[in-house]
């Protein structure tokens, strides 16, 4: 007895000694945009129970209060009513199914890491949590009728005008053990990436058997844009039939589901555990056994919190004593939370091919996360990151192309370039090897550079593939740029293909040296569309639309406009003014083209002038009036570009102003779509006081937010970032790296991020030019 007691005591002490960082996470950051109570222009985030890079995200789905301002990608929205709990039906008091009156929530929902609670108007309270492949949901019913509806045919709704909606196209449900358990599968198609059908198997169970379990089957009457429904001519209601314990959608792709009823009048809690798998019902069931062995909801909450602390939060330590600025602490740990929700580690869950390689999905998208998120994974999650890259290469091995976006086991969409190239190059130049087969990695990149993907005839853009690869590759190969008359997004794709080819040259340097020069030359393609005659706001020279015959369209072109910034326009989601700064591999030529350091500086200054932006960018720039749009990814590096003219103090000014103005510990706490954590990573780097230049091993110095910060990097090394003078101001006065005076405003990966090291900043209120010598390098410098 006493031995057992001691063991328990030491366990308790160990638990107490560990900090629960999850208390600093605000899971609602980004749930609203600039208009309070609405998701529009906000982070488009998921709210619910999930684990780092986990397969399931357990949460509620809601209706759109107003489709023109709705944001439902993550299910939860601040102003919609509850339609479902993902992979689980909602709890109607009224069992008539179509159309249900969706219950409104009462008051504000509650969420913390691994936990979510909502109170419905109908009196039902729902609490839930998630593990990697399973969820647990507790329904607290008031006195009265008690039903749970399991609707296999539920899916995330899209707006009526959305060309990329998702749909249910078939499924099956069976009940077991007198209705205490149920299993089956549902098949869904579409979504933002226009994906092929994918099937999810499920196994669910209740902690107490219901008195009745009835299955239904009814026609699938949802109008399916781009697909044919089979429901015409039949009555549009579902029927409960009493002959079997199975309902199958059959050849008609009917909706199927079941209701489970408890004949208890007094209030009652019913708990349900559900596992899912892309392989089989058996695996789905096993996940419940291995991941959620307890019926106590909070056992799962506790273990999920533990995983987040161990895998993520505890790897960064900052002072948490009385001197701590808790707002900054909460921004730090919340940002870490949001960058670990996607992609999903689907290892063991790939239904498409057998492989010893890991399997990853939900890259949503690389266009978003290549800019600074993958560089964060690299130092912070080297094990996951190596696995992710192996998974990416395996997609190429078995499906022919690396993805740019991917979900539902399907590549798509490609918004600009083939940005997996940038991701692989970033890992490669920083020395990530492990079990990555770089011979294949390089071959995969080369496919992007040389193989024209077949046209997917996507209504979004009929001209070329939107699925994978480079849709405008024929132009690129023949002309060295993307032309205005043959291709869409001619400017932004030229910008992205240039960096993609630079990325390939970086990996070629090690894997296929004979190719390096060729791709380096191709990476100068952006110079082909630089038109020195274009004038805007007193500046000369901009990226401009160029015809395939080599002449520019000089009539009426204004780089302040993109005429929509969509798939068919000059530029995608940013105007040419902005894209004209996005040449990270050859800033030297860019500064030259812009007329030298002084002209470059004043042009950059103008990016930050309020009320200058004239192009409406919709939700991708809601509430932002400067040309610099921190609400979307293309401009992420722009505020740091003063480092390239040795005026780091202005980079600090710009980045800190953006961080303070646009990032908060509140629902509208990020300036645009989180985009799989891309937006949150921008803030994380600004908190650290460094910023990576993707596809190179260079980091620019900014200004840190904490006086002391330890970060576990590269598995078991430590990066320490210290700052004195924080209380006086954020401008850098001097820097030391590993104890030695550091005069450059940049450093390389090997300096502190491979084996660890210390960066010491001395900060103050004065803007001083403290750096001297070489500006950050332009390794892609080419003169044509
Ligand atoms: C939500 O339900 C409430 C109460 O029934 C209703 O007033 C409101 O219009 C509903 N909102 C939506 C977006 O359906
Ligand atoms: C929906 O939102 C749009 C854009 O804000 C607005 O114009 C419209 O009036 C709203 N519709 C309703 C029914 O509130
Ligand atoms: C259930 O809803 C249907 C349609 O909305 C309605 O006709 C019926 O009266 C309701 N039943 C109960 C018991 O509230
Ligand atoms: C269900 O069973 C009842 C009684 O046995 C029968 O009258 C009814 O027709 C059956 N319903 C269906 C849809 O088969
Ligand atoms: C379960 O955990 C959540 C989140 O920590 C907490 O709010 C809730 O009160 C807990 N419930 C019980 C029954 O302990
Ligand atoms: C960082 O690590 C150093 C060395 O172990 C330690 O002295 C310091 O207190 C740590 N700082 C924080 C904020 O944990
Ligand atoms: C904490 O930092 C925030 C910026 O993130 C700042 O606005 C706030 O004033 C600081 N609070 C204190 C008490 O210093
Ligand atoms: C890389 O994969 C290819 C086949 O895809 C194989 O031939 C080669 O041996 C692998 N290289 C290494 C180092 O494993
Ligand atoms: C190039 O093509 C454009 C668009 O077709 C045309 O307007 C222009 O006159 C052509 N220029 C030359 C030099 O052929
Ligand atoms: C040239 O650009 C102007 C302004 O964007 C446009 O109206 C015109 O159609 C373009 N000309 C050609 C030949 O594409
Ligand atoms: C920007 O425009 C708005 C609305 O016209 C005005 O209220 C604001 O003062 C302007 N801001 C600046 C810095 O000019
Ligand atoms: C650090 O981790 C690496 C890789 O996981 C391992 O090879 C090395 O032995 C570890 N070093 C220490 C000091 O634990």
């Amino acid at each position: 007895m006493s031995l057992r007691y001691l063991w328990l005591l030491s366990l308790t002490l160990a638990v107490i000694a560990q900090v629960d960082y999850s208390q600093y996470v605000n899971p609602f950051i980004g749930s609203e945009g600039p208009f309070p109570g609405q998701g529009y222009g906000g982070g488009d985030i998921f709210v619910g129970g999930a684990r780092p890079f986990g397969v399931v995200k357990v949460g509620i789905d809601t209706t759109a209060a107003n489709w023109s301002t709705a944001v439902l990608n993550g299910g939860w929205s601040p102003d919609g009513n509850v339609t479902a709990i993902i992979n689980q039906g909602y709890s109607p008091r009224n069992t008539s199914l179509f159309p249900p009156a969706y219950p409104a929530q009462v008051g504000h929902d509650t969420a913390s890491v691994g936990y979510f609670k909502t109170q419905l108007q109908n009196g039902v309270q729902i609490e839930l949590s998630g593990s990697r492949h399973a969820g647990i949901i507790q329904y607290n019913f008031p006195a009265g009728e008690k039903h749970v509806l399991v609707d296999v045919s539920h899916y995330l709704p899209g707006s009526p005008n959305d060309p990329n909606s998702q749909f249910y196209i078939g499924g099956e449900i069976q009940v077991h053990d007198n209705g205490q358990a149920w299993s089956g599968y549902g098949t869904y198609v579409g979504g933002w990436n226009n994906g092929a059908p994918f099937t999810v198997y499920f196994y669910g169970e209740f902690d107490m058997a219901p008195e009745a379990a009835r299955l239904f089957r009814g026609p699938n009457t949802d109008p399916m844009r781009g697909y044919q429904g089979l429901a015409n001519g039949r009555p549009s209601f579902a029927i409960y039939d009493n002959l079997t314990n199975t309902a199958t959608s059959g050849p008609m792709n009917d909706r199927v589901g079941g209701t489970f009823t408890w004949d208890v009048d007094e209030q009652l809690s019913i708990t349900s555990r559900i596992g899912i798998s892309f392989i089989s019902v058996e695996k789905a069931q096993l996940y419940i056994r291995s991941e959620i062995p307890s019926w106590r909801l909070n056992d799962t909450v506790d273990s999920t919190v533990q995983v987040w602390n161990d895998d993520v939060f505890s790897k960064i330590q900052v002072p948490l004593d009385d001197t701590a600025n808790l707002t900054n602490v909460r921004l730090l740990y919340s940002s870490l939370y949001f960058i670990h929700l996607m992609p999903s580690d689907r290892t063991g869950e790939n239904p498409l091919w057998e492989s010893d390689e890991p399997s990853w999905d939900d890259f949503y998208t690389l266009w978003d996360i290549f800019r600074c998120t993958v560089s964060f994974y690299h130092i912070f999650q080297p094990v996951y990151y190596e696995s992710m890259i192996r998974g990416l290469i395996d997609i190429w091995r078995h499906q022919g192309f690396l993805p740019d976006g991917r979900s539902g086991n399907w590549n798509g969409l490609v918004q600009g370039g083939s940005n997996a190239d940038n991701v692989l190059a970033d890992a490669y130049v920083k020395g990530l090897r492990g079990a990555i087969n770089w011979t294949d990695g390089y071959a995969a990149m080369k496919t992007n550079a040389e193989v024209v993907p077949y046209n997917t005839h996507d209504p979004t853009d009929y001209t070329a593939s939107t699925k994978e690869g480079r849709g405008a590759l024929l132009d690129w190969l023949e002309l060295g740029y993307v032309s205005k008359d043959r291709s869409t997004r001619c400017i932004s794709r030229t910008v992205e293909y240039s960096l993609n080819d630079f990325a390939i040259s970086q990996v070629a340097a090690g894997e296929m040296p004979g190719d390096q020069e060729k791709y380096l030359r191709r990476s100068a393609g952006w110079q082909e569309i630089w038109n020195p005659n274009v004038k805007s706001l007193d500046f000369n020279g901009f990226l401009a639309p160029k015809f395939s015959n080599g002449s520019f369209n000089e009539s009426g072109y204004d780089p302040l406009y993109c005429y929509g910034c969509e798939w068919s326009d000059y530029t995608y989601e940013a105007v040419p003014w902005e894209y004209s700064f996005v040449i990270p591999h050859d800033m030297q030529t860019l500064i030259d083209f812009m007329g030298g350091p002084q002209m470059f500086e004043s042009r950059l200054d103008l990016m930050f002038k309020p009320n200058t932006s004239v192009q409406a960018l919709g939700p991708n720039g809601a509430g932002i009036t400067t040309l610099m749009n921190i609400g979307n990814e293309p401009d992420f590096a722009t505020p740091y570009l003063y480092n390239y003219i040795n005026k780091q103090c202005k980079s600090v000014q710009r980045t800190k102003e953006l961080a303070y103005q646009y990032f908060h510990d509140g629902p509208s706490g990020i300036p645009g779509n989180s985009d799989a954590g891309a937006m949150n990573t921008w803030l994380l780097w600004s908190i650290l006081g460094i910023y990576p230049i993707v596809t190179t091993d260079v980091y620019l110095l900014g200004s840190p937010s904490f006086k002391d910060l330890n970060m576990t990097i590269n598995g078991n090394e430590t990066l320490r970032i210290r700052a004195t003078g924080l209380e006086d101001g954020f401008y850098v006065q001097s820097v030391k790296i590993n104890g030695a005076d550091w005069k450059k405003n940049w450093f390389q990966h090997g300096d502190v991020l491979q084996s660890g090291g210390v960066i010491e900043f001395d900060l103050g209120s004065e803007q001083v030019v403290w750096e001297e010598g070489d500006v950050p390098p332009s390794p892609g410098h080419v003169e044509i």
Side-chain angles (χ1 to χ4, degrees), residues 317-319 708-710 718 720:
Q317 293 129 33
V318 293
D708 193 9
L709 180 149
N710 287 324
T718 302
R720 187 171 188 193

PDB file of all heavy atoms in Angstrom, residues 317-319 708-710 718 720, ligand 6:
ATOM      1  N   GLN A 317       9.647  28.332 -24.130  1.00  0.00           N
ATOM      2  CA  GLN A 317       9.478  28.843 -22.769  1.00  0.00           C
ATOM      3  C   GLN A 317       9.797  30.335 -22.725  1.00  0.00           C
ATOM      4  O   GLN A 317      10.811  30.765 -23.256  1.00  0.00           O
ATOM      5  CB  GLN A 317      10.410  28.119 -21.797  1.00  0.00           C
ATOM      6  CG  GLN A 317      10.063  26.663 -21.600  1.00  0.00           C
ATOM      7  CD  GLN A 317      11.272  25.782 -21.789  1.00  0.00           C
ATOM      8  OE1 GLN A 317      12.389  26.196 -21.468  1.00  0.00           O
ATOM      9  NE2 GLN A 317      11.072  24.596 -22.322  1.00  0.00           N
ATOM     10  N   VAL A 318       8.893  31.060 -22.104  1.00  0.00           N
ATOM     11  CA  VAL A 318       9.105  32.493 -21.874  1.00  0.00           C
ATOM     12  C   VAL A 318       8.813  32.743 -20.399  1.00  0.00           C
ATOM     13  O   VAL A 318       8.178  31.908 -19.751  1.00  0.00           O
ATOM     14  CB  VAL A 318       8.169  33.353 -22.758  1.00  0.00           C
ATOM     15  CG1 VAL A 318       8.519  33.210 -24.224  1.00  0.00           C
ATOM     16  CG2 VAL A 318       6.710  33.006 -22.520  1.00  0.00           C
ATOM     17  N   PRO A 319       9.251  33.861 -19.848  1.00  0.00           N
ATOM     18  CA  PRO A 319       8.946  34.125 -18.441  1.00  0.00           C
ATOM     19  C   PRO A 319       7.429  34.204 -18.243  1.00  0.00           C
ATOM     20  O   PRO A 319       6.733  34.848 -19.030  1.00  0.00           O
ATOM     21  CB  PRO A 319       9.599  35.485 -18.176  1.00  0.00           C
ATOM     22  CG  PRO A 319      10.605  35.659 -19.266  1.00  0.00           C
ATOM     23  CD  PRO A 319      10.061  34.921 -20.447  1.00  0.00           C
ATOM     24  N   ASP A 708      13.196  37.057 -22.747  1.00  0.00           N
ATOM     25  CA  ASP A 708      13.921  35.788 -22.752  1.00  0.00           C
ATOM     26  C   ASP A 708      13.009  34.714 -23.324  1.00  0.00           C
ATOM     27  O   ASP A 708      11.843  34.616 -22.928  1.00  0.00           O
ATOM     28  CB  ASP A 708      14.339  35.418 -21.314  1.00  0.00           C
ATOM     29  CG  ASP A 708      15.368  34.292 -21.280  1.00  0.00           C
ATOM     30  OD1 ASP A 708      15.889  33.925 -22.356  1.00  0.00           O
ATOM     31  OD2 ASP A 708      15.653  33.793 -20.177  1.00  0.00           O
ATOM     32  N   LEU A 709      13.527  33.950 -24.233  1.00  0.00           N
ATOM     33  CA  LEU A 709      12.723  32.907 -24.865  1.00  0.00           C
ATOM     34  C   LEU A 709      13.637  31.745 -25.215  1.00  0.00           C
ATOM     35  O   LEU A 709      14.685  31.942 -25.836  1.00  0.00           O
ATOM     36  CB  LEU A 709      12.048  33.471 -26.122  1.00  0.00           C
ATOM     37  CG  LEU A 709      11.153  32.557 -26.955  1.00  0.00           C
ATOM     38  CD1 LEU A 709      10.036  33.381 -27.622  1.00  0.00           C
ATOM     39  CD2 LEU A 709      11.934  31.795 -28.029  1.00  0.00           C
ATOM     40  N   ASN A 710      13.261  30.559 -24.754  1.00  0.00           N
ATOM     41  CA  ASN A 710      14.001  29.347 -25.141  1.00  0.00           C
ATOM     42  C   ASN A 710      13.105  28.507 -26.027  1.00  0.00           C
ATOM     43  O   ASN A 710      11.944  28.280 -25.705  1.00  0.00           O
ATOM     44  CB  ASN A 710      14.367  28.502 -23.907  1.00  0.00           C
ATOM     45  CG  ASN A 710      15.480  29.132 -23.086  1.00  0.00           C
ATOM     46  OD1 ASN A 710      16.394  29.737 -23.646  1.00  0.00           O
ATOM     47  ND2 ASN A 710      15.389  29.001 -21.778  1.00  0.00           N
ATOM     48  N   THR A 718      18.716  23.962 -28.424  1.00  0.00           N
ATOM     49  CA  THR A 718      17.988  25.120 -27.896  1.00  0.00           C
ATOM     50  C   THR A 718      18.417  26.401 -28.587  1.00  0.00           C
ATOM     51  O   THR A 718      19.600  26.715 -28.670  1.00  0.00           O
ATOM     52  CB  THR A 718      18.224  25.276 -26.377  1.00  0.00           C
ATOM     53  OG1 THR A 718      17.815  24.069 -25.742  1.00  0.00           O
ATOM     54  CG2 THR A 718      17.407  26.434 -25.815  1.00  0.00           C
ATOM     55  N   ARG A 720      18.062  30.284 -27.976  1.00  0.00           N
ATOM     56  CA  ARG A 720      17.672  31.238 -26.946  1.00  0.00           C
ATOM     57  C   ARG A 720      17.694  32.633 -27.548  1.00  0.00           C
ATOM     58  O   ARG A 720      18.669  33.018 -28.210  1.00  0.00           O
ATOM     59  CB  ARG A 720      18.623  31.145 -25.758  1.00  0.00           C
ATOM     60  CG  ARG A 720      18.171  31.986 -24.583  1.00  0.00           C
ATOM     61  CD  ARG A 720      18.999  31.712 -23.353  1.00  0.00           C
ATOM     62  NE  ARG A 720      18.434  32.394 -22.184  1.00  0.00           N
ATOM     63  CZ  ARG A 720      19.070  32.549 -21.039  1.00  0.00           C
ATOM     64  NH1 ARG A 720      20.286  32.062 -20.879  1.00  0.00           N
ATOM     65  NH2 ARG A 720      18.486  33.185 -20.034  1.00  0.00           N
TER      66      ARG A 720
HETATM   67  C1  LIG B   6      16.382  29.655 -20.935  1.00  0.00           C
HETATM   68  O1  LIG B   6      17.383  28.696 -20.702  1.00  0.00           O
HETATM   69  C2  LIG B   6      18.412  29.177 -19.836  1.00  0.00           C
HETATM   70  C3  LIG B   6      19.507  28.133 -19.796  1.00  0.00           C
HETATM   71  O2  LIG B   6      18.988  26.908 -19.422  1.00  0.00           O
HETATM   72  C4  LIG B   6      17.823  29.469 -18.470  1.00  0.00           C
HETATM   73  O3  LIG B   6      18.803  29.997 -17.630  1.00  0.00           O
HETATM   74  C5  LIG B   6      16.709  30.496 -18.628  1.00  0.00           C
HETATM   75  O4  LIG B   6      16.068  30.731 -17.413  1.00  0.00           O
HETATM   76  C6  LIG B   6      15.692  30.013 -19.633  1.00  0.00           C
HETATM   77  N1  LIG B   6      14.703  31.062 -19.885  1.00  0.00           N
HETATM   78  C7  LIG B   6      13.395  30.833 -19.832  1.00  0.00           C
HETATM   79  C8  LIG B   6      12.504  31.972 -20.127  1.00  0.00           C
HETATM   80  O5  LIG B   6      12.929  29.756 -19.540  1.00  0.00           O
END
